[in-house]
Amino acid sequence: MGTVEAPTKKKSDNSTKTERISGSEAVARILAEEGVEIAFGYPGGAIMPVYDALYDHQDEIQHVLARHEQGAIHAAQGYARASGKVGVCLATSGPGATNLITGIADAQIDSTPLVCITGQVASSLLGSDAFQECDVIGISMPVTKWNYQVTRAEEIPEALAKAFYIARSGRPGPVLVDITKDAQFDQLDFRYDKCTHLRSYVPVPKLDHSKVKEAAELINNAKRPYVLFGQGVILANAEDEFKQFIEKTGIPSAWTIMGLSALDTDHPLNVGMLGMHGNYGPNLLTNECDVLIAIGMRFDDRVTGNLSKYAKQAKVIHLEIDPAEIDKNVKTEVAVLGDAKESLTELIKHVKPNSHDEWLQKFRDCDKLEHEKVIQEELNPTSDILSMGEVIKLINKYTNGDAILVTDVGQHQMVACRYTKFNKSKSNITSGGLGTMGFGLPAALGAALGEPDRKVICVVGDGGFQMTLQELATIYQTQAKVKVLLLNNEFLGMVRQWQQLFFEKRYSSTELINPDFQTIAKGFYIPTNKVTERRNLEEAIKEFVESDSAYFLEVMVGKENNVFPMVPSGSGVAEIRLE
């Protein structure tokens, strides 16, 4: 986000009182002041003073010891996405800090609020290639919303106040504060004031009411309007306003995988999933609408396909909080900059009650064709081979759409997002923009700790699971009730599908010779089961969902099953394939 100036602080009643404490103690107190209840991390030499200070704050802040820094930051992401709070992650210098980078990049592209605190070598050693020294500021700059290196203890309060404010305000994102070891040890006169404003930083653009009226006029005159909604609806807590808007206007609405769960799956105006493996109608009819209303989404390439063939006939309205996303990929007719909740509240006042039954029926006609060609066989296979879809169908039966679904990346992710039913927002947690294999298991841990009263179902493939399976130990240690569903096809399934369709079945380095996952789960003291035949599937799913503890269920599914529909790479959305 670039350089910002010093914060204008909100003065509290005791703002003139100070206390002489260490920098590390200041970090611990600030976390408590900011309402941090759980922090994820992994200790090491350069962050050890902070960990020592946290020892005296265990009643306020639970520290979750991951088994790898990547696990820690993905857990912080899952926690933030499920709870709506800022996720906090701690790591030491050098490899500890660099192991966070994948998760930071993931959080940046998926707008997840994180505060990452890394230790650093003493300021006198900076630039000397000291043991475990690394330029984490330089490395993380492209993938953070803001980052800063603290070299003096007295900088800590202001830096962390700014960090929390930037992370959670406007379009959320990850920030990183790197603190040298001497700054952690040194003393400062401590006073903490939360940051509420930064000069030159405008997290929420001022709503232009004339643009809202322009958008409303286009919507009121549209014959075939179409809404695309993304995670921006969830981040703005605008689910109710969004529902009011589409119900008043009667506009068919489709979701990105990051927007999934903002609207109940079975809502009559919910027409399904956008994107490469989305539903047939939402993709095909993008090129038949006359007004396209994008709300809190960024026209990612997986949604648009070939931009030269994308919605050229439509006038585009874009409701967006981040000015950088306007006209970045798709040219807009009207851009409504602002918070989605505020923008929708105002837009509802100006749109006219309407219905578009004939237009909506075109989506339903596409649904019927997709059901005949794809969904029927996926959910009710006629072969003896188990499908991913029939497993998800049974998950729906026993969760009633109330669970949090956390997925890793691959075929299972697309199937789970396509077929899982949702009745509550903040229920779909997945790695959208970066597509990070290994995300699922630790993110599910974070989600379970953030929302302990909800069931958390983690759907993983045998490839991604093996990237972070060590976090089963963290699940056991925290007693988090994560239910891990491994859909095992003994392949890197999504890559294999592409190799089959576009590389003449040359399966180069995608077949997996897997370990005994049952033994692994038992080694982490987690109840486990394995299904290889349909006759055992429903009973196993029921036990899995209804278990009152963590549980590991492995289901052997078809090795060479493919996920359809599919928009081939380089194709337009209207060129979506059903087979």
Side-chain angles (χ1 to χ4, degrees):
M1 57 167 280
T3 302
V4 291
E5 296 179 31
T8 301
K9 296 178 180 178
K10 181 180 179 181
K11 299 295 183 182
S12 58
D13 292 338
N14 64 347
S15 62
T16 58
K17 299 177 183 178
T18 62
E19 183 181 355
R20 194 74 176 167
I21 62 173
S22 69
S24 57
E25 174 64 18
V27 171
R29 292 193 188 186
I30 290 165
L31 294 181
E33 281 279 328
E34 290 287 350
V36 176
E37 297 172 339
I38 300 177
F40 303 86
Y42 204 99
I47 195 70
M48 203 176 299
V50 168
Y51 272 86
D52 184 65
L54 287 173
Y55 189 85
D56 295 324
H57 292 267
Q58 295 177 65
D59 291 341
E60 301 162 278
I61 304 165
Q62 176 190 357
H63 180 268
V64 175
L65 174 62
R67 297 308 190 262
H68 190 287
E69 289 89 357
Q70 184 178 352
I73 194 161
H74 289 328
Q77 288 178 271
Y79 174 86
R81 295 267 293 277
S83 69
K85 302 173 183 176
V86 176
V88 173
C89 189
L90 307 172
T92 194
S93 62
T98 59
N99 282 340
L100 298 181
I101 296 299
T102 295
I104 293 173
D106 193 287
Q108 174 80 336
I109 201 165
D110 282 349
S111 304
T112 304
L114 297 181
V115 169
C116 303
I117 300 172
T118 54
Q120 184 56 274
V121 300
S123 55
S124 61
L125 295 174
L126 289 172
S128 70
D129 293 332
F131 177 68
Q132 291 193 332
E133 183 196 358
C134 185
D135 180 10
V136 68
I137 294 298
I139 291 171
S140 65
M141 187 173 289
V143 293
T144 49
K145 192 176 176 187
W146 180 71
N147 66 8
Y148 186 75
Q149 186 173 74
V150 171
T151 58
R152 296 179 298 114
E154 52 264 35
E155 294 179 286
I156 288 173
E158 183 175 345
L160 287 180
K162 188 186 295 186
F164 276 95
Y165 175 62
I166 292 172
R168 64 166 64 102
S169 60
R171 179 179 178 178
V175 300
L176 183 143
V177 178
D178 191 46
I179 309 177
T180 60
K181 198 167 184 178
D182 51 325
Q184 296 173 52
F185 275 126
D186 288 348
Q187 301 281 302
L188 74 153
D189 293 321
F190 179 71
R191 185 184 72 236
Y192 188 66
D193 300 303
K194 291 184 180 180
C195 180
T196 58
H197 172 74
L198 287 170
R199 195 170 64 189
S200 80
Y201 170 49
V202 182
V204 181
K206 184 179 180 180
L207 186 64
D208 185 336
H209 292 269
S210 67
K211 294 295 183 183
V212 174
K213 292 177 181 177
E214 283 183 46
E217 185 175 358
L218 282 177
I219 293 166
N220 290 334
N221 293 323
K223 302 299 182 185
R224 298 180 307 282
Y226 183 24
V227 167
L228 314 180
F229 65 95
Q231 190 188 200
V233 173
I234 297 171
L235 294 173
N237 295 309
E239 295 91 343
D240 289 344
E241 291 78 8
F242 175 73
K243 186 177 177 182
Q244 291 173 39
F245 167 70
I246 64 170
E247 288 180 346
K248 184 175 181 179
T249 56
I251 302 177
S253 303
W255 38 269
T256 70
I257 63 168
M258 297 298 291
L260 177 55
S261 83
L263 181 68
D264 288 2
T265 309
D266 293 330
H267 191 284
L269 291 171
N270 189 334
V271 296
M273 174 176 166
L274 296 162
M276 181 173 282
H277 290 286
N279 293 112
Y280 185 58
N283 281 289
L284 183 73
L285 297 177
T286 298
N287 284 5
E288 293 188 24
C289 66
D290 58 353
V291 174
L292 188 67
I293 306 118
I295 304 175
M297 56 87 72
R298 57 188 181 84
F299 290 111
D300 173 76
D301 64 290
R302 286 294 171 108
V303 165
T304 66
N306 188 328
L307 281 168
S308 68
K309 302 177 182 181
Y310 185 77
K312 293 302 179 184
Q313 80 295 336
K315 293 181 178 178
V316 177
I317 299 168
H318 197 172
L319 276 65
E320 174 60 47
I321 198 169
D322 185 356
E325 295 296 343
I326 301 298
D327 295 333
K328 185 176 80 174
N329 294 325
V330 173
K331 181 68 177 175
T332 58
E333 184 82 11
V334 179
V336 180
L337 278 169
D339 175 80
K341 192 179 188 77
E342 182 185 7
S343 299
L344 284 167
T345 298
E346 191 65 22
L347 188 59
I348 290 166
K349 298 175 185 176
H350 297 284
V351 292
K352 297 176 181 177
N354 207 340
S355 62
H356 299 277
D357 295 339
E358 290 185 16
W359 172 231
L360 180 60
Q361 187 57 46
K362 295 196 74 170
F363 287 89
R364 298 311 174 200
D365 292 341
C366 288
D367 289 346
K368 291 178 183 176
L369 181 59
E370 183 180 348
H371 194 273
E372 292 170 6
K373 295 279 190 180
V374 177
I375 297 174
Q376 177 64 33
E377 183 63 25
E378 180 65 37
L379 298 186
N380 304 285
T382 54
S383 76
D384 292 334
I385 299 172
L386 293 174
S387 73
M388 294 183 183
E390 68 179 308
V391 180
I392 299 301
K393 179 182 175 183
L394 286 169
I395 292 291
N396 290 331
K397 178 178 179 179
Y398 289 102
T399 61
N400 297 312
D402 293 330
I404 294 175
L405 176 81
V406 185
T407 61
D408 207 84
V409 171
Q411 286 181 316
H412 64 278
Q413 176 191 31
M414 295 295 102
V415 171
C417 289
R418 279 175 54 82
Y419 297 116
T420 303
K421 302 289 188 181
F422 293 104
N423 300 323
K424 296 180 181 178
S425 188
K426 296 186 179 72
S427 294
N428 179 59
I429 298 173
T430 194
S431 173
L434 200 63
T436 304
M437 291 179 68
F439 172 89
L441 185 67
L445 163 68
L449 294 174
E451 290 290 312
D453 295 330
R454 296 187 66 187
K455 288 188 184 296
V456 175
I457 309 292
C458 176
V459 182
V460 295
D462 45 321
F465 176 62
Q466 291 182 77
M467 291 189 171
T468 51
L469 64 78
Q470 74 279 348
E471 300 309 327
L472 289 174
T474 318
I475 290 171
Y476 175 67
Q477 184 168 344
T478 59
Q479 294 296 293
K481 297 178 182 180
V482 178
K483 302 181 190 309
V484 183
L485 174 61
L486 171 61
L487 298 176
N488 186 353
N489 59 10
E490 299 180 312
F491 264 110
L492 298 176
M494 187 62 81
V495 183
R496 183 214 55 76
Q497 177 170 334
W498 280 58
Q499 289 173 334
Q500 177 185 333
L501 297 176
F502 307 115
F503 292 88
E504 300 176 336
K505 291 190 176 182
R506 291 160 59 87
Y507 295 158
S508 177
S509 300
T510 47
E511 187 166 12
L512 294 169
I513 306 301
N514 286 320
D516 182 345
F517 292 117
Q518 295 299 296
T519 299
I520 289 172
K522 290 173 185 175
F524 289 108
Y525 309 105
I526 293 175
T528 183
N529 195 6
K530 181 175 181 177
V531 175
T532 60
E533 297 179 6
R534 185 168 289 117
R535 60 189 175 88
N536 300 320
L537 181 61
E538 182 162 359
E539 183 181 350
I541 293 287
K542 184 175 186 292
E543 180 180 320
F544 168 77
V545 172
E546 294 180 353
S547 169
D548 195 36
S549 68
Y551 199 105
F552 181 85
L553 177 62
E554 178 182 6
V555 180
M556 301 302 297
V557 295
K559 289 190 67 170
E560 295 186 71
N561 289 3
N562 290 328
V563 183
F564 284 104
M566 179 179 185
V567 179
S569 180
S571 299
V573 288
E575 298 170 278
I576 186 170
R577 293 172 49 173
L578 287 170
E579 55 190 8

